[in-house]
Each structure stands twice: as C-alpha cells, then as structure tokens.
C-alpha cells in the first residue's frame, strides 16, 4: 500500500507541475480541439458516403427492375452497380478508404475495379491531409507524450533533486512507475473524453442497436489504443531516465517519433513494393485478355474451341444446325464463355493478390521493429478500412457479377428461341418480372475473427513491445544511477 501511495504521489506531483507550463496547456487544448474536429469530420464523411451509397444502390436497383421486356443477354450487358457502405468505426479510422473506390459497375464478360474514391475527387480534406481520431491518437498524442515526459527524470538529475528523492526512501521502480502514471494521467484527460465521444457516436450511428461482432471490434479498438499510448509513456520516461540532460532526452525522443511514425512506414512501403514488384494495371488487363483469347472467343462462331462445343452438341442431340437444339445455343455459349473468362480473371487476380500479400506481410513483419505500423494495421483492420477489406469487397462484387451474368444466360437458354427473327418479327425477349430473380447486392464487412486472423502479427507485435518495455523497467530500476 505504501509503495502504491508513493507512486500516486509522484504521479500527482508530476501532473500538477506539467500544467504550470502554459505551453503544455495550450498544446493539450489544441489537440483536444483537433480531436473534436476529427470526430465531426469523420461523422460528416461517414454520413455523406453512406447516404450516397444507399441512394445510388437503391436507384441502381430500381433502374434494373424498371427495365422493360428484353433479351436476357442485353440485360447482362446493361449491368448493375455494387456499392460498399462504411462501417461505424470508419468514422474514427479512415485508413485506406479515401483512396479506394466504393462503387463497381458490374457487367457480363468484364471485371471492373472500384471507382469514385474521395481522393479521386480531391476534396479539401485530402488536399491538406486527412485528420481522423485514429491519426491524432497514433501520431500526435505520442508526440505530446514525448514533450510531457522528456524531462520527467532528466530534469530531476540536472537540478540535483534526483539524489534527494532516492535518499528519502524512494526507489527507482517507484520513481519510474510514478512518472509513467503521471504522464499517462495527463494523456487520459484527452483519451477518456475521446473514448466517451467515440462510444456515443458509435451508438448513434447504429441507432443504439449493437451486435456482438461490432462491440468486440470497438472494445479492441479502444483497448489497443490505450495500450499503445501507455507504451509511449513508458518510452518517454525510460529515455528521460537514461539521459544525462533534458536536451538529450528531447532530441532522442523526437528522433524515435520521426523513425516510428514517418521514416519507417514510408521506407517499408517503398522497400516492399521494390522487392515484390506488382504488374501495372495495363499489363494485368492485357495478360488476362491474352489468356482468354488463347482459350477462345465466345463471340466468334468460327473459334476452334467453341466450334468444337457446337459440333459435340449437334452430335449429342442428332441435329444438323444449332437452330434445332432444344435450348438456346447462344445462351449456352455465353455461359461457357463467362465460366472461362471468370476463371482466368480469378487466376490472375490471385497471383496479383499474392504479390500484394507479400508486400503487406513485409510491412507487418517490420511492425516488430515499429509499434506504430502494428497499431495502424490493427486499427484499419478493426474499422474495415484496410486493404484486405477492399479486396473482400472486390471479391463479393465479382461473385455477385458472375451470378447475375449466369442467371441471365440461364434465362436465355430456357426462354429464348434459337430461330433468328426476321425483320418484321418482334425482338426475342422475356418478361421483365424475371429481373427480380437477381437479388440486390449487399456488402458484408469482414467479421471480427477474420480481422484477428489477418492481423495476428500486429497483435503479437504490440504484446511483445509492451512485454519488452516492462522488462526494461525492471532492469533499469536495478541499474540506473542518480548521476
């Protein structure tokens, strides 16, 4: 109890002395205002994006259903749209969402990529740099922690009060723990109100109806950010404790902050992209087109692959022309063509994703050297704003596109006659009620277990860093000297 009492007294004294410095008070107030602005801008961004997505997803569905009687193949080319709604935690962590599109046009025989990203429209927020709550927590608060803690012990050594403290019965472990608690208590004045606002906004966005999955994501989001900030509190006090002067401590801590938040993240991305080079979008598309042409062109009646299919069908059904087949030949060929093109596309996509996975794995491995990268990856994963979530959206949209195209082909096979209409005949169509057979697209975000599985390296990294620092505190408390 006495030990704990001493640590609390040290922490309280540190907190009181900090706010005697008007500069620290102004900086803390400024960051508090910045957090409020980040919450407001995140809310506005989330609301605008989801309202737009809902509006146009509904309009796309209505346009699809309002199509008149038509040939199913024409409907397959008419296409549809898939929109991705943001999750509630994306209000606080924008991640890669502003740079990835949130809408994909879906059509037969062709796979498109997502478009309509915030960066594509170059709004003012992105031109001047995005400000999210996660960015403030992960980048600015650690810098504030370093400004708070750089002289926590180094200053005591400089003015001679460190000797007095240690001779009055205070040991190094108590002193280090007390100073860490002192720095943390100041940071909690910003962190706790931020969390209260975060939870309130999160509840409002979900109309106070919560799910277990989203609740676990929120709790982990809060918990890991708390651990992350404590991590920097420990670093600040330890560096101050081993530094002979406050000036040296400050320079060392600013250097650590620059390496963690600016230099290593950008260097890691560049090195990963260099080691595991991905093909350009043009090369990716042209390679797919080449492989499809090798398999055959479904729109070319003289193509060897499809001619062989036609000949086998004629033999099986014992007829001399496709017009005499008991089903629509063109629809059958389109079904085969869709299978081939989709298979080839997915094969190339998997190869591309393996390269990107290698790049991301390199970045995640570096998180063992940099807790900021680990926290950033985990934060984006929990808020479904990471690269994996974008790819998951692409895959869900592609599965929907394939199903839509094949349903239209199946309708053509079943209901469209093989006989070519003459000039005076009506176009070969089916009833528009069949368009409702294609269900509306709904994007399902990744579940918590998928997130934890993909971010296991980041979680281990954060745990290892905290464990290492706790060991360093124990070691330092035995070896540190007053002079």
């Amino acid at each position: 109890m006495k030990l704990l009492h001493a640590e609390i007294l040290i922490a309280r004294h540190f907190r009181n002395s900090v706010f005697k410095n008007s500069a620290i008070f102004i900086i803390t107030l400024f960051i508090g205002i910045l957090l409020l602005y980040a919450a407001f801008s995140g809310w506005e961004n989330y609301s605008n994006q989801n309202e737009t997505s809902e509006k146009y997803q509904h309009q796309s569905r209505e346009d699809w259903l309002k199509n008149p009687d038509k040939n199913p193949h024409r409907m397959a080319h008419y296409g549809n749209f898939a929109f991705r709604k943001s999750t509630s935690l994306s209000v606080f962590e924008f991640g890669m969402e502003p740079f990835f599109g949130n809408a994909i046009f879906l059509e037969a025989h062709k796979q498109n990529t997502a478009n309509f990203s915030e960066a594509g429209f170059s709004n003012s927020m992105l031109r001047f740099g995005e400000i999210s709550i996660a960015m403030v927590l992960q980048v600015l608060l650690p810098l504030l922690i370093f400004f708070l803690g750089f002289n926590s012990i180094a200053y005591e050594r400089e003015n001679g009060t460190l000797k007095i403290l240690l001779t009055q019965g205070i040991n190094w472990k108590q002193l280090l723990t007390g100073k860490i608690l002192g720095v943390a208590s100041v940071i909690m004045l910003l962190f706790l109100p931020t969390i209260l606002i975060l939870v309130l906004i999160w509840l409002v966005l979900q109309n106070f109806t919560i799910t277990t999955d989203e609740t676990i994501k929120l709790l982990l989001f809060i918990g890991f950010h708390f651990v992350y900030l404590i991590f920097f509190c420990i670093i600040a006090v330890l560096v101050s404790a081993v530094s002979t002067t406050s000036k040296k401590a400050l320079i060392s801590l600013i250097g650590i902050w620059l390496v963690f938040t600016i230099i290593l993240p950008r260097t890691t991305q560049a090195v990963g992209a260099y080691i595991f080079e991905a093909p350009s979008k043009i090369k990716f598309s042209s390679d797919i087109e080449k492989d499809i042409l090798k398999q055959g062109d479904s729109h070319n009646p003289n193509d060897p692959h499809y001619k062989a299919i036609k000949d086998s069908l004629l033999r099986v059904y014992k007829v001399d022309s496709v017009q005499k087949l008991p089903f629509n030949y063109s629809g059958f060929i389109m079904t085969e063509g869709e299978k081939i093109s989709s298979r080839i596309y997915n094969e190339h996509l998997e190869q591309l994703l393996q390269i990107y996975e290698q790049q991301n794995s390199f970045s995640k491995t570096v998180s063992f050297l940099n807790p900021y990268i680990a926290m950033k990856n985990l934060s984006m994963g929990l808020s479904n704003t990471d690269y994996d979530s974008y790819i998951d959206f692409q895959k869900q949209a592609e599965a929907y596109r394939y199903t839509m195209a094949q349903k239209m082909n199946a309708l053509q096979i079943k209901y469209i006659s093989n006989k070519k209409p003459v000039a005076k005949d009506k176009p070969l169509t089916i009833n528009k009620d069949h368009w409702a057979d294609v269900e509306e697209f709904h994007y399902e975000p990744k579940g918590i277990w998928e997130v934890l599985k993909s971010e296991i390296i980041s979680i281990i990294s954060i745990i290892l860093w905290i464990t290492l620092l706790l060991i360093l505190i124990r070691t330092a408390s035995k070896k540190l000297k007053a002079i």
Side-chain angles (χ1 to χ4, degrees), residues 253-273:
L253 288 170
I254 290 177
I256 291 171
W257 181 82
L258 286 171
V259 170
F260 278 174
T261 62
I262 297 175
I263 297 173
L264 262 183
R266 283 157 177 75
T267 304
T268 300
Q269 291 171 359
V271 172

Side-chain angles (χ1 to χ4, degrees), residues 145-421:
I145 288 170
F146 285 172
F147 277 119
L148 291 172
F150 79 94
N151 64 354
S152 57
I153 293 179
Y155 180 73
E156 306 266 14
R157 181 180 278 115
E158 284 180 292
N159 64 16
T161 57
L162 183 57
K163 281 185 181 180
I164 299 172
L165 279 171
L166 294 173
T167 56
Q168 288 181 340
I170 300 294
N171 59 46
W172 271 106
K173 186 177 180 181
Q174 288 176 287
L175 183 61
L176 291 172
T177 305
K179 294 292 186 179
I180 290 168
L181 291 175
V183 176
S185 67
V186 177
I187 291 301
M188 288 304 109
L189 295 176
L190 288 170
F191 183 70
L192 292 177
T194 300
I195 296 308
L196 290 175
I197 293 171
L198 185 153
V199 172
L200 180 61
I201 293 175
W202 180 78
L203 287 170
V204 170
L205 291 176
Q206 300 182 110
N207 296 319
F208 292 88
T209 57
I210 60 175
T211 63
T212 302
D213 193 83
E214 288 299 313
T215 303
I216 294 174
K217 286 180 181 178
L218 175 70
L219 293 176
L220 289 176
F221 186 90
I222 294 170
F224 276 106
H225 275 91
F226 173 79
V227 171
Y228 176 78
L229 293 176
I230 295 299
F231 163 84
F232 279 96
C233 292
I234 296 173
I235 285 187
V237 173
L238 282 176
V239 170
S240 182
V242 299
S243 300
T244 53
T245 65
S246 298
K247 183 179 179 180
K248 288 182 179 179
L250 181 59
I251 292 172
S252 299
L253 288 170
I254 290 177
I256 291 171
W257 181 82
L258 286 171
V259 170
F260 278 174
T261 62
I262 297 175
I263 297 173
L264 262 183
R266 283 157 177 75
T267 304
T268 300
Q269 291 171 359
V271 172
Y274 177 77
I275 296 174
F276 306 105
E277 187 177 1
S280 66
K281 186 176 180 180
I282 294 174
K283 187 177 187 307
F284 176 74
S285 299
S286 64
D287 287 346
I288 292 173
E289 192 65 29
K290 286 177 184 176
D291 284 354
I292 290 174
L293 290 174
K294 286 178 184 177
Q295 287 287 324
D297 183 1
S298 61
H299 290 83
N300 180 7
N302 296 317
D303 181 89
H305 176 76
Y306 291 96
K307 188 175 183 302
I309 293 175
K310 182 181 75 172
D311 292 341
S312 65
L313 287 173
L314 294 178
R315 283 196 302 269
V316 169
Y317 287 94
K318 298 178 181 179
V319 292
D320 57 6
S321 69
V322 294
Q323 282 76 24
K324 295 179 181 179
L325 289 171
F327 55 84
N328 184 269
Y329 171 74
S330 179
F332 182 88
I333 291 299
M334 291 302 109
T335 300
E336 177 68 12
E338 195 66 58
K339 285 180 183 177
I340 291 173
S341 62
S342 294
R343 175 178 56 78
I344 292 173
Y345 171 81
N346 288 326
E347 287 173 356
H348 280 268
L349 180 62
E350 285 303 318
Q351 292 173 9
L352 181 64
L353 293 183
Q354 284 178 10
I355 296 174
Y356 288 142
E357 181 60 32
Q358 289 174 321
Q359 293 179 359
N360 291 334
S361 295
F362 178 80
S363 175
K364 288 178 181 179
T365 303
V366 174
S367 68
F368 286 113
L369 303 175
N370 186 355
Y372 168 73
I373 293 177
M375 188 66 251
K376 184 66 178 175
N377 287 335
L378 185 56
S379 177
M380 291 191 298
L382 290 170
S383 57
N384 286 98
T385 58
D386 60 338
Y387 180 76
D388 287 346
S389 296
Y390 168 73
I391 293 301
D392 184 54
F393 168 57
Q394 287 272 166
K395 287 183 175 180
Q396 288 187 37
E398 168 57 18
Y400 177 87
R401 184 205 68 80
Y402 181 76
T403 302
M404 175 193 74
Q406 294 298 52
K407 279 189 176 181
M408 293 298 104
N409 288 331
L411 289 171
Q412 181 172 347
I413 292 171
K414 186 175 181 180
Y415 294 110
I416 298 298
S417 171
N418 274 314
K419 294 180 180 179
K420 293 183 179 180

Side-chain angles (χ1 to χ4, degrees), residues 53 56-67 74-83 103-108 110 112-113 115-116 393 397-398 400-405 408 435-442:
S53 294
Y56 288 108
Q57 186 73 74
H58 181 68
Q59 184 175 319
S60 174
R61 180 64 177 175
E62 283 191 340
D63 290 344
W64 173 268
L65 295 176
K66 285 179 180 178
N67 270 277
R74 288 188 62 194
M75 277 299 291
H77 280 288
Y78 178 83
N80 212 331
F81 276 94
F83 287 87
I104 303 177
F105 178 60
L106 310 173
E107 57 182 320
K110 188 176 181 182
N112 298 308
T113 54
N115 290 305
F116 310 113
F393 168 57
E398 168 57 18
Y400 177 87
R401 184 205 68 80
Y402 181 76
T403 302
M404 175 193 74
M408 293 298 104
W435 310 152
D437 292 346
V438 178
E439 296 179 356
E440 188 174 5
F441 176 82
H442 289 288

